[in-house]
Amino acid sequence: MTDPTPLAQRDLVPLLFGHAAFQQLNAFCELGLAELLSERPGLTGAQVAEALRLPPRSADVLLLGATALRLTVKDGDRYRNARLVTEWIDDGLWSNLRDIVEFQARIAYAPAAEYVDSLRNGENLGLRHFAGDTRDLYSRLAGTPGLEELFYRGMNSWSRVSNPVLVRGVDYSGVRRILDVGGGGALNAIELARTHPHLRVTVLDRPSALDVAAENIGHAGLSDRIDTYAADIFEDDYPAGYDCHLFAHQLVIWSPEQNKRLLGKSLRALDPGGRTLVFNAFTDDDGGGPLYTALDGVYFTTLPFESSTIYPWSAYEGWLRELGYASQRRVTLETWTPHGVVEGHKSASAG
Ligand SMILES: C[S@@+](CC[C@H](N)C(=O)[O-])C[C@H]1O[C@@H](n2cnc3c(N)ncnc32)[C@H](O)[C@@H]1O
């Protein structure tokens, strides 16, 4: 039998040097090379070294890495940004990518070295890198100065690049009021309210996350349509009067039993005829990919919670069926991240 996409020797290069590829990207972002080449395309290596105040050898290594990784293009002895980098800068998305890279560098990177131990023990042992003795990342954020701000800035940027399917792919014409369960820094709530002016949204989260959310909502000028609600998603009742519940990047944290508990609570608290939205990345149902999900699995194994998993679509659909949701639907868009939405509908005649 032949392998459908055979492993070649050259495929070993990104495997052996994956950590180095990330460090090249991190340096490209942190040293501001993209911004420099955006303002002054066509600089030579010596000019880059001078502008970034780097020793010439450092600039050479950085530019070689950036060019080999296709972040920059070399014409003769002059450098410019890749077209995609230019487009992201022009679209205002580059700062989101920088936030995500910083999240990876300062939150995910060092704990990823605990992957083997985490696999052996079935525990998120990357938590060793953060102060505290609780068993999930979220409750440890407040223990390290600046970490909460970095986490929610990074999370907001992950949401911004991945949420077009949530914001534009779902039909909200029949929806009135959304409860964003574990809504964090409120990025999704803000984008939903901006894009669909008839919607009102409540962000439910831990009190310290809601400080960040309230600030973001205020900056967005949406305090009249988005409010916050401090509660524990497991222990506290969900407020009544909502015809849509959103679990965004939430059901990748918990075990199947915990997810069923959350989805069951949602079904009971929803208005009749309402719906529950699950928005996050998914694994293909055949278990063969995609690559994004497979690699992100290292973060989910080492950090958020001991059972964090990017589940296949069919897992969510099975839970919704089992819990008594009347129907369900998959929503996808052609995007570079494997994000999508599973909708579960509550019967209009249900209590
Ligand atoms: C991965 S973040 C997702 C944030 C946001 N939904 C998004 O997509 O950007 C998970 C969120 O769940 C919240 N969370 C985790 N455990 C919680 C709990 N027991 N009660 C309330 N919120 C919780 C965290 O504070 C965090 O804001």
Side-chain angles (χ1 to χ4, degrees):
M1 233 169 63
T2 52
D3 298 354
T5 46
L7 180 72
Q9 290 187 32
R10 67 175 163 279
D11 295 333
L12 296 175
V13 175
L15 297 185
L16 281 172
F17 294 103
H19 63 294
F22 175 74
Q23 290 302 344
Q24 294 282 7
L25 173 64
N26 188 38
F28 182 69
C29 290
E30 195 170 329
L31 295 171
L33 181 53
E35 287 81 354
L36 174 67
L37 292 179
S38 172
E39 281 163 27
R40 298 168 61 194
L43 293 182
T44 63
Q47 289 169 322
V48 168
E50 191 188 346
L52 296 182
R53 294 170 209 254
L54 293 175
R57 178 182 157 278
S58 303
D60 287 348
V61 180
L62 173 67
L63 286 163
L64 173 62
T67 304
L69 289 168
R70 293 179 287 155
L71 295 165
T72 52
V73 175
K74 190 172 185 214
D75 295 322
D77 62 350
R78 298 184 176 275
Y79 295 88
R80 61 180 166 82
N81 283 326
R83 183 181 302 180
L84 181 70
V85 174
T86 303
E87 283 169 9
W88 277 48
I89 291 175
D90 293 347
D91 292 349
L93 280 171
W94 186 251
S95 64
N96 295 112
L97 188 83
R98 286 195 57 156
D99 288 342
I100 292 170
V101 169
E102 191 180 344
F103 179 104
Q104 297 289 60
R106 291 180 48 207
I107 294 181
Y109 194 84
E114 316 294 339
Y115 184 51
V116 175
D117 269 2
S118 298
L119 288 175
R120 281 208 175 99
N121 292 285
E123 278 182 68
N124 48 338
L125 296 178
L127 276 190
R128 285 176 184 150
H129 293 254
F130 301 104
D133 53 13
T134 53
R135 299 185 63 196
D136 71 286
L137 175 64
Y138 308 98
S139 51
R140 289 201 185 194
L141 293 175
T144 305
L147 193 62
E148 196 133 46
E149 184 278 329
L150 169 63
F151 181 87
Y152 286 109
R153 184 157 47 79
M155 206 54 241
N156 271 358
S157 286
W158 278 118
S159 284
R160 167 125 199 255
V161 301
S162 62
N163 76 8
V165 66
L166 171 72
V167 176
R168 289 193 286 280
V170 172
D171 178 4
Y172 293 97
S173 53
V175 174
R176 192 177 45 85
R177 212 167 160 211
I178 301 178
L179 183 67
D180 184 2
V181 184
L187 189 279
N188 293 316
I190 289 168
E191 296 234 342
L192 285 166
R194 271 199 188 129
T195 311
H196 305 281
H198 69 285
L199 289 177
R200 302 181 70 85
V201 189
T202 298
V203 179
L204 181 155
D205 209 298
R206 300 172 306 114
S208 61
L210 292 182
D211 293 343
V212 181
E215 200 178 317
N216 290 338
I217 296 163
H219 277 145
L222 285 165
S223 309
D224 55 333
R225 287 200 292 128
I226 308 177
D227 60 2
T228 62
Y229 187 91
D232 186 287
I233 59 174
F234 288 102
E235 304 306 328
D236 297 322
D237 289 337
Y238 298 163
Y242 293 82
D243 55 355
C244 182
H245 288 171
L246 169 62
F247 291 90
H249 294 125
Q250 184 62 239
L251 303 188
V252 285
I253 304 172
W254 312 110
S255 68
E257 292 67 35
Q258 288 168 309
N259 284 344
K260 281 192 266 180
R261 194 170 146 202
L262 294 173
L263 291 169
K265 280 183 75 163
S266 171
L267 180 63
R268 288 188 294 279
L270 268 177
D271 289 351
R275 64 179 115 160
T276 302
L277 305 179
V278 179
F279 162 65
N280 44 240
F282 292 87
T283 298
D284 293 344
D285 284 325
D286 67 6
L291 184 62
Y292 176 112
T293 300
L295 298 183
D296 207 12
V298 174
Y299 168 78
F300 283 97
T301 304
T302 53
L303 273 182
F305 188 64
E306 63 183 5
S307 46
S308 305
T309 305
I310 306 182
Y311 296 99
W313 295 86
S314 53
Y316 294 98
E317 291 161 346
W319 299 331
L320 294 172
R321 239 188 332 268
E322 205 182 307
L323 288 163
Y325 280 83
S327 59
Q328 49 193 262
R329 198 163 83 92
R330 282 185 195 191
V331 185
T332 54
L333 284 183
E334 282 301 315
T335 49
W336 69 274
T337 74
H339 284 73
V341 176
V342 171
E343 293 187 12
H345 305 124
K346 178 170 176 169
S347 151
S349 57

